[in-house]
């Protein structure tokens, strides 16, 4: 939802109207909270291991296509943006059937199923990364849209009770958290002399909180707005999903632990993109342990010059104009209808 909301904000700032179509996951809360109308669709991901669940998902997708066609006929949009994922499939297909211009966005280094199917019908496919085999006029590398970075570091650090000269490591694993990172961080930093700001997600929070005994360890389920945490920290420990663009937008160095079961292993590709630029250290999940994480973080914090250089390399990867670039593509597609 982060990229879609960033593009929506850019469109709204230019005076355009935006309506979301989505399922019952994070968008059910985030979209209304951002001030947008959400028109719900009942869909789910297609299981690759359970034939019964896969058949159920296909049936829901077929019903969602009918509902999406009705939604577009009633709403009469000038253009449709597909943000990837199973919700975007039926809506994008409905747009194609009704000859409404379609613009797709891909936030990862591997194109998802919906985008692969719909790409040939799209006016433009906006990519976060260059992807082999996806070139030509139809494709444009815009970067991944993210909210504007928090620039008031002092205020952000005050929010978390950090003094100007405190060192802070931010740990997070995505919207649901990441158990391997949560466990390793608790073991690695339980007695750390630096400050740790750890967003664990709701699933593991209760099992972790009784193991935190240091006043330097700030464990939370979630941090909202999250940009404050990125602005306040000195080093990030995280997965390597789309959040790497938020890390780059704030110019933060990182220790990245790619999720090993991501589709197309795209998180490894994401992490390597940052490593090659000098912005991150990559630690494979199967090699993750409390001892290894403590060593990697300790070596970086012990070399301030390297940490600053990594921060500069991270900032150089940022694409602050991504949301506006995609918004401009949507407007151009609508005008060329």
């Amino acid at each position: 939802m982060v990229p879609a909301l960033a593009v929506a904000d850019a469109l709204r700032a230019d005076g355009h109207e935006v309506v979301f179509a989505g399922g019952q996951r994070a968008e059910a809360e985030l979209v209304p909270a951002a001030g947008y109308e959400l028109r719900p669709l009942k869909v789910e991901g297609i299981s690759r291991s359970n034939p019964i669940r896969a058949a159920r998902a296909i049936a829901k997708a077929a019903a969602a296509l009918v509902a999406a066609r009705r939604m577009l006929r009633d709403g009469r949009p000038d253009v449709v943006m597909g943000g990837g994922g199973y919700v975007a499939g039926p809506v994008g297909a409905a747009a194609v059937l009704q000859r409404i211009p379609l613009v797709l966005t891909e936030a990862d280094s591997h194109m998802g199923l919906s985008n692969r199917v719909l790409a040939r019908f799209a006016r433009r496919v906006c990519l976060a990364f260059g992807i082999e085999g996806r070139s030509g006029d139809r494709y444009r590398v815009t970067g991944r849209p993210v909210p504007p970075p928090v620039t008031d570091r002092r205020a952000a650090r005050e929010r978390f009770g950090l003094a100007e000269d405190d060192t802070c490591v931010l740990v997070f694993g995505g919207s649901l958290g990441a158990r391997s990172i949560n466990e390793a961080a608790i073991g690695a930093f339980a007695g750390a002399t630096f400050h740790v700001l750890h967003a664990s997600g709701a699933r593991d929070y209760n099992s972790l909180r009784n193991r935190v005994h240091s006043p330097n360890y700030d464990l939370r389920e979630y941090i909202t707005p999250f940009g404050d945490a990125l602005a306040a920290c000195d080093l990030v420990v995280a997965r390597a999903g789309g959040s790497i663009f938020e890390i780059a937008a704030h110019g933060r160095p990182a220790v990245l632990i790619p999720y090993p079961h991501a589709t197309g292993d795209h998180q490894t590709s994401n992490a390597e993109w940052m490593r090659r630029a000098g912005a991150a250290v990559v630690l494979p999940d199967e090699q993750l342990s409390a001892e290894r994480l403590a060593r990697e973080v300790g070596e970086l914090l012990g070399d301030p010059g390297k940490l600053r250089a990594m921060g500069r390399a991270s900032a150089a990867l940022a694409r602050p104009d991504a949301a506006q670039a995609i918004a401009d593509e949507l407007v151009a597609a609508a005008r060329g209808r």
Side-chain angles (χ1 to χ4, degrees), residues 208-292:
L208 296 173
R209 63 178 180 174
N210 294 327
R211 296 160 60 187
V212 174
H213 306 291
S214 170
N216 290 337
Y217 205 113
D218 187 349
L219 178 71
R220 307 183 182 207
E221 288 187 43
Y222 303 106
I223 300 171
T224 305
F226 194 67
D228 285 348
L230 288 165
C233 75
D234 300 288
L235 175 66
V236 174
V237 175
R239 287 294 193 207
S243 61
I244 62 171
F245 279 94
E246 292 183 77
I247 295 171
H250 288 83
R252 293 295 175 262
V255 175
L256 298 177
I257 303 113
Y259 178 56
H261 306 297
T263 304
D265 198 23
H266 69 263
Q267 287 206 10
T268 296
S269 298
N270 295 355
E272 285 298 317
W273 177 70
M274 289 198 76
R275 185 195 63 79
R276 288 193 300 270
V281 170
V282 179
L283 176 56
D285 193 83
E286 63 270 18
Q287 297 178 22
L288 177 64
S289 66
E291 294 76 14
R292 177 72 183 275

Side-chain angles (χ1 to χ4, degrees), residues 22-41:
Q24 288 96 24
R25 298 180 67 185
E27 59 265 36
E29 179 180 347
L30 295 176
V31 170
Y36 296 101
E37 178 186 355
L38 175 66
R39 299 183 183 179
L41 290 172

